[in-house]
């Protein structure tokens, strides 16, 4: 079987690795050490959105997870997130708590949309001064309880779990973005289509 099918709790996943024209022999390593992984090799680096879109086109699952190559997924995270999506049919996309090497949460996994006011307070440094303020901390939404699930505007593309049916509705990532911003744009379209986006710690 050419598909790497692995059990995560009661679910089955396929693993698709998109190599965006890397120069470090990582594609050869995948072929040699993980022959059942679906490996897509791009001849040139077309950016984050285009690279992920090629993987999305190949995927067969009811859910799609964008997962950065520099992540380390802890045990039970995938099954927990799948259970969360299965139990909440109004959720279109979700993310979990992303933890940086120093043990702190990556604020990029928990964002509000960059409206003019949000951007203004973020770039002036008011969010850093008042990280728990619902007025000044709207970009990383630091005033919410990080220990309970709640709605956010956008997760990070590093861990972005989305229902396949939503992709059929709103389309894939916009390839006009080479890198950065495409996840916010995708989340905006998902929210505009009436779906919730959730943070599940």
């Amino acid at each position: 079987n050419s598909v790497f099918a692995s059990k995560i709790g009661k679910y089955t996943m396929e693993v698709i690795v998109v190599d965006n024209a890397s120069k470090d022999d990582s594609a050869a390593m995948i072929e040699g050490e993980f022959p059942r992984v679906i490996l897509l090799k791009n001849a040139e680096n077309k950016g984050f959105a285009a690279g992920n879109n090629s993987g999305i086109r190949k995927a067969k699952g009811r859910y799609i997870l964008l997962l950065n190559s520099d992540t380390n997924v802890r045990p039970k995270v995938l099954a927990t997130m799948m259970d969360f999506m299965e139990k909440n049919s109004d959720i279109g996309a979700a993310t979990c708590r992303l933890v940086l090497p120093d043990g702190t949460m990556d604020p990029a996994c928990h964002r509000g949309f960059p409206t003019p006011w949000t951007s203004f307070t973020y770039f002036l440094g008011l969010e850093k001064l008042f990280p728990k303020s619902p007025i000044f901390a709207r970009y990383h939404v630091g005033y919410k309880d990080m220990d309970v699930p709640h709605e956010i505007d956008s997760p990070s593309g590093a861990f972005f779990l989305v229902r396949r049916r939503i992709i059929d509705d709103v389309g894939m990532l916009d390839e006009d973005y080479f890198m950065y911003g495409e996840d916010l744009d995708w989340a905006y379209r998902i929210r505009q289509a009436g779906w919730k986006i959730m943070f599940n710690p």
Side-chain angles (χ1 to χ4, degrees):
N1 187 349
S2 63
V3 176
F4 176 65
S6 177
K7 294 296 284 183
I8 47 170
K10 61 188 176 189
Y11 307 104
T12 302
M13 70 174 176
E14 60 181 353
V15 177
I16 300 170
V17 174
V18 180
D19 184 84
N20 238 355
S22 65
K23 308 290 185 202
D24 62 357
D25 297 323
S26 53
M29 181 275 293
I30 294 290
E31 287 175 319
E33 295 185 32
F34 304 98
R36 292 186 300 155
V37 165
I38 300 168
L39 176 63
L40 305 178
K41 294 189 280 189
N42 290 336
E44 60 180 303
N45 184 353
K46 298 178 180 179
F48 182 87
N52 276 289
N53 282 347
S54 62
I56 291 169
R57 287 185 196 97
K58 188 75 174 175
K60 297 179 180 71
R62 289 183 298 121
Y63 295 91
I64 305 293
L65 172 64
L66 304 188
L67 184 67
N68 273 10
S69 58
D70 61 352
T71 54
N72 181 7
V73 182
R74 294 177 178 174
K76 300 184 182 178
V77 167
L78 297 178
T80 298
M81 291 301 294
M82 291 299 301
D83 287 343
F84 184 66
M85 295 293 280
E86 288 285 287
K87 290 173 185 168
N88 298 281
S89 59
D90 58 341
I91 297 174
T95 194
C96 58
R97 183 191 309 267
L98 300 185
V99 180
L100 297 169
D102 67 3
T104 62
M105 187 181 88
D106 181 354
C109 74
H110 187 271
R111 290 178 292 177
F113 290 129
T115 63
W117 174 253
T118 300
S119 301
F120 177 74
T121 57
Y122 177 75
F123 286 115
L124 275 185
L126 294 172
E127 181 184 75
K128 281 189 177 179
L129 289 173
F130 307 101
K132 300 291 184 187
S133 167
I135 296 171
F136 299 122
R138 291 187 181 178
Y139 186 58
H140 291 118
V141 203
Y143 54 89
K144 291 197 175 182
D145 185 346
M146 300 300 173
D147 294 322
V148 297
H150 55 264
E151 277 193 74
I152 57 172
D153 285 338
S154 179
S156 163
F159 190 110
F160 199 131
L161 179 62
V162 63
R163 293 182 193 275
R164 158 72 76 180
R165 59 179 286 200
I166 289 172
I167 299 172
D168 297 337
D169 240 8
V170 306
M172 292 189 284
L173 294 160
D174 186 341
E175 296 184 15
D176 284 344
Y177 295 91
F178 183 82
M179 190 168 183
Y180 300 119
E182 67 289 300
D183 47 4
L184 283 165
D185 171 76
W186 209 26
Y188 183 78
R189 286 185 277 136
I190 292 168
R191 289 286 301 269
Q192 288 292 101
W195 292 92
K196 289 182 181 177
I197 298 177
M198 296 292 291
F199 171 80
N200 182 12

